[in-house]
């Protein structure tokens, strides 16, 4: 079994109230020098079998239709995850 | 100005209703072969000046106290982002 990581971030021109809230809290907790925080989403998607180009294309399509809202978000990464399940993927 | 990427995922033993909802919706939209989806968070943190080891340590500390709930979440990545602002970081 392979794993694909999908990362989605709000578009730069879109207000990000969650990121703004984090950014406001950091100085109160003693963390300085941070000028901006933006918060997005990270998905770990486990697939049957190895992560082929076909699987990646399917996940990319799902990322752009179901995992993100293309009006306000960008899919910034769709990538095979080589860490946890890499050995399974290679032997599959 | 540099940028640090922080990624937070629910611990494996924690139920992830958001991921479960996505996983349930995928086959209905024609995406098959996906066995599990887990949803976490991704933060892009912009800092003053270059991303030094000291800055990374400070962001890691913030990630473990403010950006994640250590009871139910793991910080899976704290890393300088070499893509967008890399040139600024290097010349800073």
């Amino acid at each position: 079994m392979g794993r694909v990581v999908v990362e989605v971030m709000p578009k730069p021109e879109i207000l990000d109230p969650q990121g703004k809230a984090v950014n406001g809290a950091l100085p109160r907790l003693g963390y300085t020098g941070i000028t901006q925080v933006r918060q997005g989403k990270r998905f770990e998607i486990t697939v049957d079998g190895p992560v082929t180009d076909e699987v990646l294309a399917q996940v990319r399509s799902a990322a752009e239709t179901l995992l993100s809202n293309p009006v306000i978000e960008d899919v910034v990464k769709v990538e095979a995850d080589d860490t946890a399940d890499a050995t399974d993927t290679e032997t599959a």
Side-chain angles (χ1 to χ4, degrees), chain A:
Chain A
M1 291 212 299
R3 193 154 71 179
V4 182
V5 170
V6 173
E7 294 178 356
V8 174
M9 293 301 292
K11 284 181 192 287
E13 66 271 25
I14 298 290
L15 273 179
D16 172 17
Q18 288 180 300
K20 257 199 154 46
V22 171
N23 199 17
L26 284 165
R28 291 200 301 273
L29 294 170
Y31 300 104
T32 53
I34 290 171
T35 54
Q36 198 196 19
V37 177
R38 292 188 71 79
Q39 180 173 344
K41 295 181 282 188
R42 180 181 193 271
F43 299 91
E44 288 182 358
I45 296 172
T46 309
V47 295
D48 273 338
V51 180
T52 58
D53 284 351
E54 200 187 331
V55 167
L56 272 182
Q58 203 189 30
V59 170
R60 183 178 297 275
S61 160
E64 281 162 5
T65 52
L66 179 68
L67 304 181
S68 71
N69 176 348
V71 177
I72 58 167
E73 291 170 324
D74 287 322
V75 177
V76 296
K77 186 162 114 180
V78 178
E79 208 175 82
D81 184 3
D82 312 323
T83 55
D85 300 17
T87 48
D88 302 305
T89 308
E90 275 153 19
T91 56

